[in-house]
């Protein structure tokens, strides 16, 4: 059965506690690759935070304000490379605090919207369909993917 918007928001929100708990991870461990040839923990959280920031500013905030959605289909590789560069300029706590800020803004804004706004299809900046429900569905699975990677990495640290 399809999840309700409230269930989806709760699932999206659950990643907040997970990321907050990462503040307990040594700053040194934030700058090591999660595994051979992979990104660092800092890169991953920076990447998620910057996607949240982008979708908040160009999508969710616009819907809340009744403005046209300006989300576009970006070059993922370029966006992610920029996220990794950005991570180099920030500390662990700065990245986490920024993640918390944008994730909480998204949740706050979508939590007050009526149910029909979740399923309504908006035209994005590329004139393609954008819905809050579709956005949440995509990013919940994105969060889960990275959460698995991070948990495996954290577990490997405790073995040493």
């Amino acid at each position: 059965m399809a999840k309700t918007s409230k269930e989806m928001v709760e699932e999206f929100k659950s990643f907040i506690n997970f990321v907050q708990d990462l503040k307990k991870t040594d700053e040194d461990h934030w700058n090591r690759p999660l595994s051979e040839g992979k990104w660092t923990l800092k890169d991953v959280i920076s990447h998620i935070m910057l996607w949240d920031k982008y979708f908040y500013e160009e999508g969710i905030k616009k819907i809340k304000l009744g403005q046209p959605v300006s989300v576009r289909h970006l070059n993922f590789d370029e966006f992610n490379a920029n996220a990794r560069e950005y991570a180099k300029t920030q500390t662990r706590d700065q990245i986490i605090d920024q993640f918390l800020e944008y994730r909480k803004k998204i949740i706050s804004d979508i939590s007050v919207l009526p149910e029909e706004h979740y399923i309504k299809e908006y035209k994005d900046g590329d004139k393609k369909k954008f819905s809050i429900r579709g956005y949440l569905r995509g990013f919940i699975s994105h969060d889960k993917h990275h959460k698995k990677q991070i948990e495996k990495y954290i577990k490997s640290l405790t073995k040493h």
Side-chain angles (χ1 to χ4, degrees):
M1 196 174 94
K3 291 183 180 177
T4 67
S5 55
K6 297 255 183 286
E7 289 170 326
M8 289 179 80
V9 169
E10 283 307 307
E11 196 170 349
F12 190 65
K13 190 179 188 178
S14 70
F15 203 59
I16 289 174
N17 289 336
F18 177 75
V19 173
Q20 270 179 319
D21 283 348
L22 295 175
K23 273 196 179 185
K24 297 173 192 160
T25 308
D26 227 31
E27 183 109 30
D28 181 47
H29 295 143
W30 271 73
N31 297 305
R32 290 190 201 155
L34 297 184
S35 61
E36 188 73 33
K38 295 290 184 184
W39 292 0
T40 67
L41 182 51
K42 196 193 248 186
D43 292 340
V44 171
I45 302 303
S46 174
H47 151 83
I48 294 168
M49 179 276 295
L50 287 170
W51 278 113
D52 276 5
K53 178 180 189 283
Y54 178 72
F55 275 97
Y56 174 71
E57 291 175 349
E58 305 299 329
I60 308 303
K61 184 178 175 183
K62 303 268 182 163
I63 290 169
K64 183 184 172 207
L65 297 174
Q67 298 172 350
V69 173
S70 52
V71 167
R72 297 186 100 86
H73 293 268
L74 303 175
N75 177 322
F76 294 154
D77 292 337
E78 190 179 311
F79 188 96
N80 294 337
N82 290 336
R84 292 182 72 194
E85 285 305 310
Y86 180 76
K88 293 174 186 172
T89 70
Q90 304 292 302
T91 65
R92 171 195 65 196
D93 289 355
Q94 286 172 318
I95 294 284
I96 290 175
D97 291 345
Q98 290 168 56
F99 166 81
L100 297 173
E101 175 190 349
Y102 286 105
R103 184 61 59 110
K104 287 176 180 177
K105 281 182 176 182
I106 291 169
I107 290 162
S108 171
D109 281 9
I110 62 180
S111 294
V112 298
L113 292 172
E115 185 70 30
E116 60 267 18
H117 286 311
Y118 281 90
I119 52 177
K120 181 177 176 184
E121 290 185 337
Y122 299 87
K123 291 275 186 232
D124 67 15
D126 293 327
K127 306 285 184 255
K128 294 202 168 47
K129 293 175 183 172
F130 175 85
S131 74
I132 292 174
R133 182 173 188 75
Y135 159 75
L136 286 175
R137 191 181 300 120
F139 274 84
I140 287 168
S141 68
H142 182 249
D143 286 352
K144 285 179 179 175
H145 163 74
H146 287 302
K147 185 177 180 183
K148 272 188 196 147
Q149 289 178 316
I150 294 166
E151 285 172 337
K152 187 177 173 189
Y153 172 66
I154 301 288
K155 199 178 271 185
S156 77
L157 295 175
T158 57
K159 288 180 184 171
H160 297 290

